[in-house]
């Protein structure tokens, strides 16, 4: 859709730094191509997130071979700190813990309901932190 104008393009034209980070493979569904041709300066995914983690990566992986929400959000915090403080920015995140059908339950979260609501509460708590 080369003629489509996306929100990221509007922001980029206004001087924003735009980054998109997916918990899964950024090349899945060609998200990297779409992002980089429609206003994002950077498109990152699981490969970039795991680049600096210890060799034993299985504890970082959640569902769909992507990283857990907590891992994604910790990476996003580092990315936020790296933005030029004199320029506005947009950081777009795609998480996976609440993605159907392969929900991921993080064992560090409480199990109040013992059903899917616990997964959503955990994700909400992680995001708010």
């Amino acid at each position: 859709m080369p003629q489509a104008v996306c929100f990221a393009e509007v922001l980029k034209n206004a001087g924003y730094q735009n980054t998109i980070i997916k918990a899964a493979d950024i090349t899945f569904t060609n998200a990297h191509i779409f992002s980089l041709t429609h206003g994002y300066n950077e498109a990152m995914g699981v490969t970039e997130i795991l680049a600096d983690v210890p060799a034993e990566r299985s504890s970082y992986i959640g569902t769909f071979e992507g990283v857990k929400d907590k891992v994604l959000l910790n990476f996003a915090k580092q990315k936020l700190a790296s933005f030029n403080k004199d320029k506005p920015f947009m950081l777009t995140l795609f998480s996976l813990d609440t993605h159907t059908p392969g929900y991921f339950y993080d064992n560090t979260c409480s199990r109040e309901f013992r059903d899917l609501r616990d997964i959503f509460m955990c994700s909400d708590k992680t995001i708010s932190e």
Side-chain angles (χ1 to χ4, degrees), residues 1-10 13 34-35 37-39:
M1 300 183 66
Q3 308 310 322
V5 177
C6 298
F7 187 60
E9 290 173 283
V10 172
N13 290 337
F34 175 83
S35 300
T37 58
H38 287 284

Side-chain angles (χ1 to χ4, degrees), residues 66-83:
V67 295
K68 301 173 187 176
D69 284 2
K70 287 186 178 186
V71 175
L72 170 68
L73 292 166
N74 283 333
F75 185 80
K77 286 178 190 176
Q78 293 171 12
K79 184 62 194 167
L80 280 172
S82 75
F83 282 124

Side-chain angles (χ1 to χ4, degrees), residues 35-79:
S35 300
L36 295 173
T37 58
H38 287 284
Y40 285 94
N41 305 92
E42 287 183 290
M44 307 167 91
V46 65
T47 302
E48 291 80 10
I49 296 169
L50 293 177
D52 292 325
V53 301
E56 179 48 52
R57 295 179 175 165
S58 61
S59 65
Y60 295 84
I61 302 297
T63 187
F64 298 105
E65 299 299 316
V67 295
K68 301 173 187 176
D69 284 2
K70 287 186 178 186
V71 175
L72 170 68
L73 292 166
N74 283 333
F75 185 80
K77 286 178 190 176
Q78 293 171 12
K79 184 62 194 167

Side-chain angles (χ1 to χ4, degrees), residues 60-121:
Y60 295 84
I61 302 297
T63 187
F64 298 105
E65 299 299 316
V67 295
K68 301 173 187 176
D69 284 2
K70 287 186 178 186
V71 175
L72 170 68
L73 292 166
N74 283 333
F75 185 80
K77 286 178 190 176
Q78 293 171 12
K79 184 62 194 167
L80 280 172
S82 75
F83 282 124
N84 179 337
K85 306 295 185 252
D86 297 324
K87 289 181 70 177
F89 67 88
M90 177 174 72
L91 179 60
T92 305
L93 304 176
F94 283 88
S95 64
L96 287 175
D97 287 5
T98 58
H99 194 296
T100 59
Y103 299 105
F104 175 78
Y105 182 78
D106 191 318
N107 289 328
T108 64
C109 292
S110 66
R111 289 188 183 240
E112 184 176 332
F113 298 103
R114 303 237 178 255
D115 60 26
L116 293 177
R117 291 176 289 179
D118 291 332
I119 295 168
F120 284 91
M121 283 180 33

